[in-house]
Amino acid sequence: MSYTIYSATGCTRCKIVKQVMKERGIDFIEQDMKAEGKEAFQKFYAANRKAIFRGPDGVEFPLLHDGEVIRQGIGASVAYIYSGMKLDGFFSVGTLHKEWVDGIHVSGGNPAYAAEFIEVLRYIKNTNNMKLQLDTNGLNSAILEQILTENLADVVIMNVLGPKELYGQLVGKDVDLAEIEKSIALVTKFPEYKFQTTVAPVVRQDGDISYLTTKEIGATAKLIAEATGSMKNPYLVKLFKPKECKDERFKGVESMATEALLPYRTAARSHQVFVEIEKA
Amino acid sequence: MSYPTVYPTGVTIYNPKKAWSGYTIFQAREVGALLIDMNGSEVNLWEGLHGFPNKILPGGYVMGHLGDRNNNFGMQDQTDLVQVDWEGNIAWKFNQYEFIEDPGEEPQWMARQHHDYQREGNPVGYYVPGMEPQTDKGNTLILVHKNVKNPKISDKLLLDDVIIEVDWEGNIVWEWACNEHFDEFGFDEAAKNILSRDPNMRTSGGGMGDWMHVNSMSVLGPNKFYDAGDERFHPDNIIIDGRETNIICIIDKKTGKIVWKLGPNYDTSEELKKIGWIIGQHHAHMIPKGLPGEGNILIFDNGGWAGYGVPNPASPTGAKNARRDYSRVLEIDPTTLKIVWQYTPAEAGFVMPTDSERFYSPYISSAQRLPNGNTLITEGSDGRIFEVTPDYEVVWEYISPYKGVHLPTNMVYRAYRVPYEWVPQVERPVETAIEPVDLTTFRMPGAAPMGAKKTTVIEGTRPYQGDKALCVAAGDEVEEK
């Protein structure tokens, strides 16, 4: 298997990924898209456009390619080098820059590989002094607890998906609500944290699809209040973006205007006083 | 208006035949909301009720605030907006815009209201025939503050102006934030430069840039321009003015976009040049349908100092780079941008420019169009409220005797006149004319009367001339040539 790293001149994250490979004795070819590798990168990009994330600031580097699999960003690349595909779901491409690394999803991967996941975090944060922003939806609370114990996160954002009675449906599987509540409580112990809820569409009992109601967002804010014992948590209510949704059932849902979030904010403020709404 | 050391307070002029008589509400400095009749009798004082501003509603209700935020942390934030009845009972209250935890203060919800609000039923907050503000239902538009970061404007913390619409139950149903429309205001590069470096930084809360300082917010209401098909003047649209930027603009209620605008510069077209620089203005609003001048924009153009732009000798950094030491009340047709009526030092009878400062309030102030065509003007910095006819005769004048202790001024932010019928709790007062005093004979006890004991005649003296050869050239001297 031959590895190629597509990098950009001066990119710290690229240097870290290259270092991991050197430490592990893995040979690779580097193609610096700002230097001699420009043509090679363009060719690679043209052939794999769909698999490469392009954010508002352009393509995020590094890109790791082993001939079959592409991994983009520091987290996903290091995880792949460490553990192959075992850690898929824990990492995606981030959008933060400089010393910050995001795209790290505590709830996204298989908890059986918690040790490997933690090892990657240690490498990025402790060995390379990067700052980590993690997110969670409450699943894998034991991993979150270990991350807290080892001070492996600088910021944690928790997506509190909805009220207790809808949590399982919103996650897509049965959940242990005690675990969700445990995560909510843990999140407040990190150096910086924020709760957020997307006003998402839900399949109702009669089969109809409708957005979470204001009452349900109020109940979500209440869940946070009960689990944290505080009404003063930073809490953001977000808009659902049908175009970005991967669930085919919800792609046709009519998008909601920013103004429509105002009554949700009012409802949430009964239980959390620092609620803000996302601006489109 | 520059006062001598001794001057009368209370009502100084009242012509019942020419004035539009009623009650006048204003905030008596550090005392409360004060309702007076045309002779200055104090009909009701809602003691301690703050007013930024106070407004009277039909039925003897008054609107105001229970308090303001500690100035160490907030800039002009009122804790709430309340409607109280004649006896002071709270009939309606809103305070749930932001939860505030200031050091050493009780954590609490605050409205952070400032400068203006409008109750549904009436677009401007003053008397308009057939457009009574609702008192037991309806939405309220409220101008509030919010601290924001917007690197497009500056990297400093900004004190932003936000308009919220609140229903009777206190739910926020509409919201518009000024900073989100920065690109629509038409600032040039010089203005953006100084805004970025100094967005009117104030010391409260460790420093925040009061970059726009919106001081007026009202609804257009039904109007002839919209009736004729001009969508910019949709009755639901909102007009605001920002004193720091010299901007007056209309916001489309549906889209939030700016659809009509005066400023920030007044030298970019012939129409604007004729208007001249509007500086630090207050209370810009559309005269509601049913009042003389309906559809026109009435503005108290303070003068003073405001604006962002190219540095000049009076503004080395470009902050507050427009200056003028007198005020104007302007009535402007929003479609032609022509001045339809104005009250400036010239109309007030003062020699310009040498006596211009005698009509001058560099901050606060307002103008209300009355049903008979008169205009109630609050020349706020000196606590003077007066009513002028369309041909500039002062038919009522009141000087506030209420001087503050914490802030030693008798300033009046804004006054409103309402009809007697809006206050059914008291009998209609007797109206007693107050003739203007002949200043040549008005004396303090002990002061000698005018008139020389001996007049000495000198042969060969010539008659006195007018003002053409004063040390300072008149503003219109060049035009006259």
Side-chain angles (χ1 to χ4, degrees):
Chain A
M1 195 180 291
S2 65
Y3 288 90
T4 305
I5 292 180
Y6 294 93
S7 65
T9 311
C11 159
T12 305
R13 294 148 201 265
C14 304
K15 286 176 190 165
I16 293 170
V17 173
K18 287 187 286 183
Q19 183 61 30
V20 177
M21 298 188 79
K22 283 174 191 165
E23 285 168 6
R24 302 210 155 209
I26 303 169
D27 293 331
F28 63 91
I29 299 165
E30 181 179 6
Q31 299 287 4
D32 186 334
M33 61 81 67
K34 285 186 178 174
E36 78 291 338
K38 188 174 179 181
E39 204 175 310
F41 172 71
Q42 284 174 342
K43 214 170 166 183
F44 173 72
Y45 181 75
N48 298 283
R49 193 176 277 118
K50 280 186 181 173
I52 297 171
F53 173 75
R54 191 182 178 93
D57 300 317
V59 173
E60 300 289 334
F61 289 93
L63 281 153
L64 178 67
H65 188 216
D66 65 3
E68 285 182 20
V69 175
I70 299 171
R71 288 292 178 265
Q72 188 175 9
I74 179 174
S77 298
V78 173
Y80 188 65
I81 296 160
Y82 266 55
S83 307
M85 296 171 90
K86 282 197 238 172
L87 296 182
D88 280 5
F90 281 119
F91 296 96
S92 64
V93 188
T95 54
L96 296 179
H97 290 143
K98 295 183 179 170
E99 74 272 30
W100 284 94
V101 178
D102 61 340
I104 305 170
H105 318 294
V106 178
S107 311
N110 185 344
Y113 302 119
E116 289 88 339
F117 175 52
I118 294 288
E119 196 181 348
V120 173
L121 298 186
R122 282 191 205 117
Y123 184 77
I124 299 172
K125 182 167 175 62
N126 295 345
T127 311
N128 290 284
N129 297 318
M130 301 296 274
K131 290 187 173 177
L132 306 189
Q133 176 177 298
L134 279 57
D135 61 65
T136 172
N137 63 18
L139 299 182
N140 296 350
S141 63
I143 300 177
L144 189 66
E145 193 167 22
Q146 193 176 346
I147 290 167
L148 178 67
T149 306
E150 295 194 35
N151 294 322
L152 288 173
D154 297 279
V155 177
V156 174
I157 296 172
M158 177 158 179
N159 297 301
V160 186
L161 300 177
K164 288 178 185 175
E165 62 273 18
L166 290 173
Y167 220 96
Q169 189 194 141
L170 288 160
V171 172
K173 62 181 180 185
D174 288 339
V175 294
D176 176 4
L177 283 171
E179 181 179 29
I180 305 301
E181 288 168 330
K182 181 185 168 190
S183 286
I184 292 174
L186 281 171
V187 161
T188 63
K189 295 181 169 63
F190 284 90
E192 199 179 316
Y193 72 96
K194 178 172 73 178
F195 295 105
Q196 60 186 32
T197 302
T198 299
V199 180
V202 181
V203 181
R204 304 293 175 181
Q205 281 184 339
D206 58 6
D208 282 355
I209 293 173
S210 64
Y211 280 116
L212 286 170
T213 64
T214 54
K215 201 175 167 186
E216 286 162 348
I217 290 293
T220 309
K222 191 179 177 193
L223 168 63
I224 298 168
E226 287 169 350
T228 61
S230 171
M231 294 176 73
K232 297 177 184 177
N233 296 291
Y235 184 36
L236 180 71
V237 178
K238 297 181 69 176
L239 282 168
F240 177 75
K241 298 176 178 73
K243 282 182 185 170
E244 295 173 14
C245 179
K246 287 174 186 166
D247 191 328
E248 290 297 328
R249 295 173 301 169
F250 302 138
K251 283 202 165 175
V253 172
E254 197 176 334
S255 58
M256 191 183 265
T258 304
E259 207 174 298
L261 290 184
L262 291 170
Y264 287 92
R265 182 176 66 183
T266 302
R269 279 181 169 178
S270 299
H271 304 285
Q272 290 295 324
V273 294
F274 298 132
V275 186
E276 290 295 340
I277 51 175
E278 183 184 42
K279 296 290 173 80
Chain B
M1 185 183 188
S2 55
Y3 287 146
T5 308
V6 175
Y7 55 90
T9 60
V11 176
T12 54
I13 298 171
Y14 177 33
N15 181 342
K17 288 180 184 165
K18 290 189 176 178
W20 192 81
S21 296
Y23 294 115
T24 304
I25 184 82
F26 67 98
Q27 174 69 199
R29 185 77 208 162
E30 293 175 26
V31 172
L34 184 62
L35 188 73
I36 60 170
D37 67 19
M38 296 303 285
N39 284 94
S41 292
E42 299 183 357
V43 180
N44 196 354
L45 168 68
W46 286 269
E47 194 173 30
L49 182 69
H50 297 233
F52 200 23
N54 292 118
K55 295 185 185 185
I56 284 279
L57 306 182
Y61 292 100
V62 65
M63 294 187 78
H65 333 283
L66 299 182
D68 55 2
R69 186 177 177 187
N70 185 330
N71 289 339
N72 290 330
F73 310 111
M75 250 290 294
Q76 304 187 318
D77 293 352
Q78 306 301 303
T79 53
D80 47 46
L81 177 63
V82 296
Q83 174 186 330
V84 301
D85 67 15
W86 188 250
E87 302 300 334
N89 303 302
I90 295 175
W92 182 85
K93 177 178 175 177
F94 174 80
N95 65 355
Q96 296 222 339
Y97 182 61
E98 192 173 330
F99 191 79
I100 301 290
E101 292 182 300
D102 289 330
E105 304 281 327
E106 185 71 26
Q108 61 182 298
W109 281 101
M110 280 192 200
R112 298 193 71 186
Q113 183 272 345
H114 67 100
H115 286 99
D116 221 341
Y117 50 85
Q118 305 297 345
R119 171 61 58 73
E120 188 175 351
N122 178 290
V124 291
Y126 64 67
Y127 177 68
V128 182
M131 293 189 203
E132 295 202 341
Q134 296 178 352
T135 57
D136 58 356
K137 60 179 190 276
N139 291 3
T140 308
L141 282 170
I142 309 175
L143 186 57
V144 299
H145 275 144
K146 186 170 186 176
N147 292 40
V148 301
K149 282 274 195 181
N150 186 338
K152 255 189 193 180
I153 302 172
S154 174
D155 61 0
K156 297 175 170 60
L157 181 68
L158 299 172
L159 180 68
D160 200 34
D161 297 297
V162 176
I163 304 169
I164 55 173
E165 184 175 359
V166 176
D167 67 17
W168 188 256
E169 288 72 35
N171 301 304
I172 297 169
V173 297
W174 185 82
E175 189 171 73
W176 183 91
C178 210
N179 84 90
E180 292 168 9
H181 300 268
F182 180 67
D183 291 337
E184 299 168 48
F185 289 120
F187 293 108
D188 59 24
E189 282 309 312
K192 286 179 184 172
N193 186 302
I194 181 60
L195 250 169
S196 163
R197 287 178 289 128
D198 179 9
N200 189 29
M201 290 303 289
R202 308 299 301 264
T203 54
S204 299
M208 55 182 85
D210 187 13
W211 71 284
M212 188 74 168
H213 196 97
V214 173
N215 61 36
S216 175
M217 179 274 305
S218 56
V219 181
L220 299 186
N223 63 82
K224 60 187 176 186
F225 304 119
Y226 179 73
D227 293 344
D230 194 333
E231 291 284 340
R232 294 176 301 170
F233 304 104
H234 189 286
D236 292 341
N237 288 356
I238 293 166
I239 182 168
I240 61 170
D241 74 58
R243 78 136 274 148
E244 279 311 310
T245 56
N246 302 330
I247 289 172
I248 299 164
C249 63
I250 293 174
I251 303 157
D252 187 302
K253 180 81 186 297
K254 270 190 185 157
T255 64
K257 302 280 184 201
I258 307 295
V259 290
W260 179 94
K261 181 169 70 71
L262 275 180
N265 296 319
Y266 291 85
D267 55 2
T268 52
S269 73
E270 287 309 310
E271 290 87 353
L272 289 170
K273 283 178 188 170
K274 279 185 183 167
I275 291 173
W277 283 79
I278 291 175
I279 303 170
Q281 73 287 347
H282 280 74
H283 202 207
H285 64 278
M286 179 175 273
I287 298 171
K289 196 171 195 174
L291 291 174
E294 64 180 51
N296 294 332
I297 307 298
L298 193 60
I299 307 156
F300 192 99
D301 172 17
N302 297 67
W305 47 90
Y308 302 92
V310 177
N312 61 54
S315 168
T317 65
K320 298 173 177 47
N321 74 330
R323 299 200 176 206
R324 193 185 64 238
D325 57 2
Y326 62 87
S327 299
R328 308 186 292 173
V329 175
L330 302 176
E331 180 182 342
I332 296 171
D333 181 318
T335 56
T336 63
L337 301 188
K338 283 186 178 161
I339 295 176
V340 178
W341 181 83
Q342 66 178 13
Y343 187 82
T344 75
E347 285 78 22
F350 301 128
V351 176
M352 288 183 77
T354 47
D355 270 356
S356 298
E357 82 286 354
R358 294 191 64 193
F359 179 52
Y360 183 30
S361 176
Y363 70 116
I364 55 177
S365 308
S366 63
Q368 172 189 353
R369 180 56 45 84
L370 297 166
N372 66 350
N374 290 355
T375 305
L376 183 76
I377 298 171
T378 306
E379 191 183 348
S381 63
D382 283 327
R384 180 182 179 227
I385 310 164
F386 65 103
E387 179 181 340
V388 292
T389 63
D391 55 356
Y392 321 120
E393 183 184 353
V394 177
V395 293
W396 184 81
E397 182 184 63
Y398 174 86
I399 312 293
S400 174
Y402 290 97
K403 194 169 180 176
V405 175
H406 302 290
L407 188 65
T409 164
N410 68 338
M411 61 179 272
V412 172
Y413 169 60
R414 190 186 291 176
Y416 288 109
R417 173 76 47 78
V418 297
Y420 292 126
E421 294 73 31
W422 279 23
V423 184
Q425 290 84 358
V426 290
E427 282 188 24
R428 188 183 175 118
V430 175
E431 298 169 347
T432 306
I434 300 171
E435 297 292 335
V437 168
D438 179 359
L439 294 177
T440 61
T441 60
F442 185 57
R443 290 289 184 281
M444 294 298 294
M450 188 184 180
K453 287 181 181 169
K454 175 181 178 295
T455 302
T456 306
V457 177
I458 303 156
E459 199 170 330
T461 58
R462 295 183 181 184
Y464 292 100
Q465 298 185 55
D467 63 350
K468 286 287 169 78
L470 290 172
C471 300
V472 180
D476 56 1
E477 232 171 65
V478 177
E479 270 183 44
E480 279 186 7
K481 283 175 187 171

